Amino acid sequence: MKVFKFGGASVKDANAVKNVAAILNRFPKENILVVVSAMGKITNALERLTDAVFYPAKNKKEDAAAILAEIKKYHFDIIAELFPSKEHPIYNEISNTFVELDWAVEDTPTENYNYEYDKIVSMGEIIATKIVNAYLLEAGIKSKWSDVRDYIQTDNTYREGKVDWDLTQELVNTQLLPEIKDGKVIVTQGFIGGTSENFTTTLGREGSDYTAAILAYACNAESVTIWKDVPGVLNADPKWFDETKKLEQISYQDAIELAYYGATVIHPKTIKPLQNKKIPLLVKSFLNPEDKGTIINEIQSPLPIPCFIFKVNQVLISISPKDFSFIAEENFSDIFNLFSEKQVKVNVMQNSAISFSISVDADERKLPDLIKTLQKKYRVLYNDNLELITIRYYDQATIDRVTIDKKVLLEVKSRYTVQLVVKDANR
Ligand code: ASP
Ligand code: MG
């Protein structure tokens, strides 16, 4: 059995949904578990909706109603193109599904932002899978919709649900595996999970790849394919580089490193479950499905060319004790605990005798609070609007190439990877 993951771009409009059916038709008689994300940029719209609902003083109720109307229109436009007959049951089904969002806009939210977020934002995947499944049936594919919350079980860390692997495995065995047979296609949601009290959680932004990996692990799938709008994993993001090369094959080790440093093609949590069961991960183009794409599997050879990862909007925080004493072990654990408590991810760090520098993503919601707390005990300086450049399999020439017109504020080198925090030289 194979797992296919279709992300937002691959279901962003009616033609894209038709293309999903065309791809599945290339694999007749195979048992395929299809994991689908919210359509296009709907998750961002649902995040805006959550904010409008939760912070009505700032955004007002009308804003929420307007955003919801926009989300409904987007989906119903796609449905109208896919299902010309207005009698088709999908019209009713999606209207009924939207009732949950109507309620979310009308009711007073609880105090728990993250809980409300998951309740609202998860609807993107529920709606997308219902539309895709209905279309696949229409196209003659033996497809069945399935609610992933019935088997991916998490704790109640809303927005960052931690998977209960044992329970998930048990539920996959009893609820999901018996369905996967006779050349059937099962359509289910990426990104979301359920708790023991039947609440909905999400697994973190861009988490649908992770869902595909969890299910592949629990089903002992033969492979996972992520269908993307790029030909495979490239050695740099075409957004920043004119010339990029596709990588034919990547080891799990390199893949996890690249994803960890911020290569956005694969969600960092995706690799571990696959590596643990040696399940190959294919990254392929949904526009050219016959092309080979990239395969990530158990190989020993390093990448043949350097890989570049750019992260913009970095803030470099420098922390030093107020009295010129050393940065010692107790400070480290104190500082790390704070970062973890405030859910701020460390992208790169470096220490000297009396200071400790950490680069993090700029995040208005989290950083001011973290910095204020740090300032109670330490002297804290920070520099924003920086870029973090990571090069895997670097040499001096590649470093020189990316630092033209840049001032390097921090450089951390290990054997295979260099990380540079830079700013424009003329700023
Ligand atoms: N729809 C979710 C997001 O945009 C999950 C995903 O796309 O993987 O974050
Ligand atoms: Mg997405």
Side-chain angles (χ1 to χ4, degrees), residues 5 7-9 37-38 40 43 125 205-206 208:
K5 181 255 172 173
S37 309
T43 304
E125 270 67 15
R205 281 303 306 264
E206 308 302 331
S208 293

PDB file of all heavy atoms in Angstrom, residues 5 7-9 37-38 40 43 125 205-206 208, ligand 2:
ATOM      1  N   LYS A   5       0.563  12.199  -0.526  1.00  0.00           N
ATOM      2  CA  LYS A   5       0.167  13.427   0.139  1.00  0.00           C
ATOM      3  C   LYS A   5       0.023  14.543  -0.887  1.00  0.00           C
ATOM      4  O   LYS A   5       0.923  14.795  -1.687  1.00  0.00           O
ATOM      5  CB  LYS A   5       1.192  13.804   1.204  1.00  0.00           C
ATOM      6  CG  LYS A   5       0.826  15.065   1.964  1.00  0.00           C
ATOM      7  CD  LYS A   5       1.656  16.223   1.533  1.00  0.00           C
ATOM      8  CE  LYS A   5       1.194  17.525   2.128  1.00  0.00           C
ATOM      9  NZ  LYS A   5       2.101  18.626   1.845  1.00  0.00           N
ATOM     10  N   GLY A   7      -0.608  18.515  -1.064  1.00  0.00           N
ATOM     11  CA  GLY A   7      -0.606  19.751  -0.273  1.00  0.00           C
ATOM     12  C   GLY A   7      -1.537  20.791  -0.864  1.00  0.00           C
ATOM     13  O   GLY A   7      -2.180  20.569  -1.898  1.00  0.00           O
ATOM     14  N   GLY A   8      -1.593  21.952  -0.207  1.00  0.00           N
ATOM     15  CA  GLY A   8      -2.511  23.026  -0.594  1.00  0.00           C
ATOM     16  C   GLY A   8      -2.437  23.401  -2.072  1.00  0.00           C
ATOM     17  O   GLY A   8      -3.462  23.552  -2.735  1.00  0.00           O
ATOM     18  N   ALA A   9      -1.219  23.512  -2.607  1.00  0.00           N
ATOM     19  CA  ALA A   9      -1.067  23.949  -4.008  1.00  0.00           C
ATOM     20  C   ALA A   9      -1.638  22.910  -4.971  1.00  0.00           C
ATOM     21  O   ALA A   9      -2.107  23.265  -6.057  1.00  0.00           O
ATOM     22  CB  ALA A   9       0.405  24.205  -4.319  1.00  0.00           C
ATOM     23  N   SER A  37      -4.219  18.289   2.251  1.00  0.00           N
ATOM     24  CA  SER A  37      -4.194  19.520   3.071  1.00  0.00           C
ATOM     25  C   SER A  37      -5.337  20.437   2.672  1.00  0.00           C
ATOM     26  O   SER A  37      -6.003  20.213   1.672  1.00  0.00           O
ATOM     27  CB  SER A  37      -2.919  20.331   2.847  1.00  0.00           C
ATOM     28  OG  SER A  37      -1.781  19.576   2.966  1.00  0.00           O
ATOM     29  N   ALA A  38      -5.475  21.509   3.414  1.00  0.00           N
ATOM     30  CA  ALA A  38      -6.463  22.537   3.069  1.00  0.00           C
ATOM     31  C   ALA A  38      -6.125  23.112   1.701  1.00  0.00           C
ATOM     32  O   ALA A  38      -4.969  23.149   1.292  1.00  0.00           O
ATOM     33  CB  ALA A  38      -6.444  23.635   4.128  1.00  0.00           C
ATOM     34  N   GLY A  40      -5.285  25.482  -1.322  1.00  0.00           N
ATOM     35  CA  GLY A  40      -4.584  26.752  -1.546  1.00  0.00           C
ATOM     36  C   GLY A  40      -4.079  27.351  -0.248  1.00  0.00           C
ATOM     37  O   GLY A  40      -3.417  26.687   0.535  1.00  0.00           O
ATOM     38  N   THR A  43      -5.574  27.758   4.951  1.00  0.00           N
ATOM     39  CA  THR A  43      -5.147  27.724   6.357  1.00  0.00           C
ATOM     40  C   THR A  43      -4.808  29.131   6.856  1.00  0.00           C
ATOM     41  O   THR A  43      -5.156  29.500   7.985  1.00  0.00           O
ATOM     42  CB  THR A  43      -3.952  26.773   6.540  1.00  0.00           C
ATOM     43  OG1 THR A  43      -4.336  25.492   6.037  1.00  0.00           O
ATOM     44  CG2 THR A  43      -3.560  26.636   8.004  1.00  0.00           C
ATOM     45  N   GLU A 125      -8.984  21.298   6.275  1.00  0.00           N
ATOM     46  CA  GLU A 125      -8.686  19.941   5.829  1.00  0.00           C
ATOM     47  C   GLU A 125      -9.970  19.110   5.714  1.00  0.00           C
ATOM     48  O   GLU A 125     -10.110  18.290   4.810  1.00  0.00           O
ATOM     49  CB  GLU A 125      -7.708  19.264   6.802  1.00  0.00           C
ATOM     50  CG  GLU A 125      -6.231  19.450   6.484  1.00  0.00           C
ATOM     51  CD  GLU A 125      -5.692  20.858   6.618  1.00  0.00           C
ATOM     52  OE1 GLU A 125      -6.371  21.704   7.235  1.00  0.00           O
ATOM     53  OE2 GLU A 125      -4.596  21.132   6.101  1.00  0.00           O
ATOM     54  N   ARG A 205       1.941  23.986  11.897  1.00  0.00           N
ATOM     55  CA  ARG A 205       1.784  24.423  10.505  1.00  0.00           C
ATOM     56  C   ARG A 205       2.575  23.548   9.551  1.00  0.00           C
ATOM     57  O   ARG A 205       3.652  23.086   9.873  1.00  0.00           O
ATOM     58  CB  ARG A 205       2.227  25.890  10.336  1.00  0.00           C
ATOM     59  CG  ARG A 205       1.207  26.930  10.787  1.00  0.00           C
ATOM     60  CD  ARG A 205      -0.142  26.838  10.101  1.00  0.00           C
ATOM     61  NE  ARG A 205      -0.144  26.864   8.644  1.00  0.00           N
ATOM     62  CZ  ARG A 205      -0.333  27.938   7.903  1.00  0.00           C
ATOM     63  NH1 ARG A 205      -0.495  29.114   8.473  1.00  0.00           N
ATOM     64  NH2 ARG A 205      -0.374  27.843   6.586  1.00  0.00           N
ATOM     65  N   GLU A 206       2.033  23.338   8.405  1.00  0.00           N
ATOM     66  CA  GLU A 206       2.614  22.508   7.344  1.00  0.00           C
ATOM     67  C   GLU A 206       2.745  21.042   7.760  1.00  0.00           C
ATOM     68  O   GLU A 206       3.575  20.308   7.249  1.00  0.00           O
ATOM     69  CB  GLU A 206       3.992  23.050   6.898  1.00  0.00           C
ATOM     70  CG  GLU A 206       4.029  24.520   6.516  1.00  0.00           C
ATOM     71  CD  GLU A 206       3.076  24.884   5.393  1.00  0.00           C
ATOM     72  OE1 GLU A 206       2.801  24.017   4.554  1.00  0.00           O
ATOM     73  OE2 GLU A 206       2.598  26.027   5.382  1.00  0.00           O
ATOM     74  N   SER A 208       0.960  18.388   7.265  1.00  0.00           N
ATOM     75  CA  SER A 208       0.379  17.266   6.512  1.00  0.00           C
ATOM     76  C   SER A 208       1.405  16.230   6.069  1.00  0.00           C
ATOM     77  O   SER A 208       1.099  15.039   5.989  1.00  0.00           O
ATOM     78  CB  SER A 208      -0.351  17.781   5.268  1.00  0.00           C
ATOM     79  OG  SER A 208      -1.460  18.520   5.652  1.00  0.00           O
TER      80      SER A 208
HETATM   81 MG    MG B   2      -0.373  24.168   3.387  1.00  0.00          MG
END
